[in-house]
Amino acid sequence: MLKIVLNCLTVIFGAAAIACGFNLFLVPHHLLSGGVAGLSMLIGYFTKFDISAMYFIINIPMLIAGWFILGKRFISLSILSVVVTTWILAWVPVQSVVSDPLLASVFGGVMIGVGAGISFRVGGSTGGFDIIGSIVTRYRDFPVGTVLVGMNGLVILAAGYLNDDWNIALASMLSIFVTGKVLDQIYVSHTKITVYIITEHTDKLLERMLTTPRGVSKIKIEGAFSHTEKDMLMTVTTRYELVELKRIIKEVDPSAFVNIVETVGVMGSFRRR
């Protein structure tokens, strides 16, 4: 229960960082973030629609898709992030902290990257293109930040065309690039992890683990002191999927011995077919 509360507080803090990055750095200079936030800003700049309302509305179909593909826990935290971000966007006044658009793009990007990164670290996201990025990285071996930068580039091209001001578009692109790099430093989902699990509940644990997209190897071992034969399960996964794997292990066998090692590289088929 305490962990759930801490995760929710982390997501709320991340949402606050993102909303402040928008209203204190990017929006005052008519700069763009990426993804759903960028689309919301574009609509807000060229129409009378409120940016916070558009951010919430556009996120709804993304959250629905993520609910079925990424799981209820992930999307529950994402819904919390979207709701809190929407509320803080409406509450924090749009006021420029710095007068230089270049500084605004860099520091706004840092705040958004930190907010998104810590949300990912606890198993959630900030909604929008983050959900699409998570879906892509679940099935393809790409860093989340890199995926988001690629998708967000399309939003920036649209901004440059509509504004007829490529200075704003390039400054926005810098902000998105900084966001992606900060996100990848905080949340490295593309980093491979090898997990060794010594358990007395092999069959139950295997049944749950084989529902994941990663393969599992079963190795017979013997305790050096007790001479008792046991099973050791080995799997290679990602940091993103490690959160779910830990949850499965704790539910099936809380007393299991688990050794988690960062993997330098993987050859052969990484994804179970």
Side-chain angles (χ1 to χ4, degrees), residues 17-269:
I18 291 169
C20 289
F22 290 161
N23 281 4
L24 300 181
F25 291 95
L26 301 187
V27 177
H29 294 279
H30 274 215
L31 298 172
L32 293 179
S33 181
V36 168
L39 291 175
S40 305
M41 290 174 181
L42 269 180
I43 295 172
Y45 295 157
F46 292 100
T47 68
K48 294 182 180 180
F49 289 106
D50 183 70
I51 292 176
S52 61
M54 294 308 303
Y55 177 80
F56 181 76
I57 292 170
I58 300 174
N59 262 301
I60 292 175
M62 309 284 185
L63 293 171
I64 293 174
W67 183 273
F68 293 103
I69 298 175
L70 298 176
K72 296 178 181 179
R73 181 184 178 278
F74 178 85
I75 296 302
S76 296
L77 291 174
S78 300
I79 291 172
L80 175 63
S81 176
V82 169
V83 170
V84 174
T85 301
T86 301
W87 180 76
I88 296 178
L89 279 173
W91 177 68
V92 174
V94 177
Q95 182 176 352
S96 179
V97 175
V98 294
S99 58
D100 187 345
L102 188 61
L103 288 176
S105 69
V106 172
F107 284 96
V110 169
M111 290 193 68
I112 296 166
V114 169
I118 62 176
S119 294
F120 272 105
R121 283 295 291 267
V122 297
S125 80
T126 59
F129 279 12
D130 289 348
I131 293 176
I132 297 177
S134 296
I135 293 172
V136 171
T137 54
R138 175 169 256 194
Y139 296 101
R140 292 291 183 271
D141 186 22
F142 296 126
V144 170
T146 303
V147 173
L148 297 182
V149 168
M151 293 188 297
N152 293 335
L154 298 175
V155 177
I156 298 305
L157 291 175
Y161 177 77
L162 293 174
N163 276 317
D164 196 24
D165 186 349
W166 290 100
N167 289 325
I168 291 178
L170 291 174
S172 298
M173 188 172 290
L174 174 62
S175 177
I176 293 174
F177 177 79
V178 171
T179 296
K181 288 300 180 182
V182 172
L183 172 59
D184 276 341
Q185 290 299 314
I186 296 175
Y187 177 71
V188 282
S189 66
H190 57 288
T191 301
K192 305 299 179 296
I193 301 294
T194 300
V195 183
Y196 300 94
I197 310 160
I198 299 176
T199 177
E200 296 179 352
H201 302 277
T202 306
D203 293 337
K204 290 182 179 179
L205 192 55
L206 264 178
E207 183 181 354
R208 296 287 299 277
M209 290 177 66
L210 289 175
T211 62
T212 69
R214 309 304 172 193
V216 185
S217 296
K218 184 168 73 170
I219 306 168
K220 288 290 183 181
I221 62 170
E222 179 181 315
F225 292 100
S226 65
H227 298 289
T228 302
E229 286 193 355
K230 292 185 179 180
D231 292 318
M232 180 172 71
L233 303 179
M234 183 195 75
T235 185
V236 180
T237 185
T238 65
R239 284 197 182 276
Y240 166 73
E241 293 164 341
L242 183 61
V243 175
E244 178 67 13
L245 180 57
K246 284 182 176 179
R247 185 184 66 79
I248 290 173
I249 296 171
K250 288 179 180 178
E251 288 181 359
V252 176
D253 186 7
S255 61
F257 178 81
V258 183
N259 184 23
I260 301 172
V261 182
E262 186 167 321
T263 303
V264 175
V266 174
M267 296 178 66
S269 179

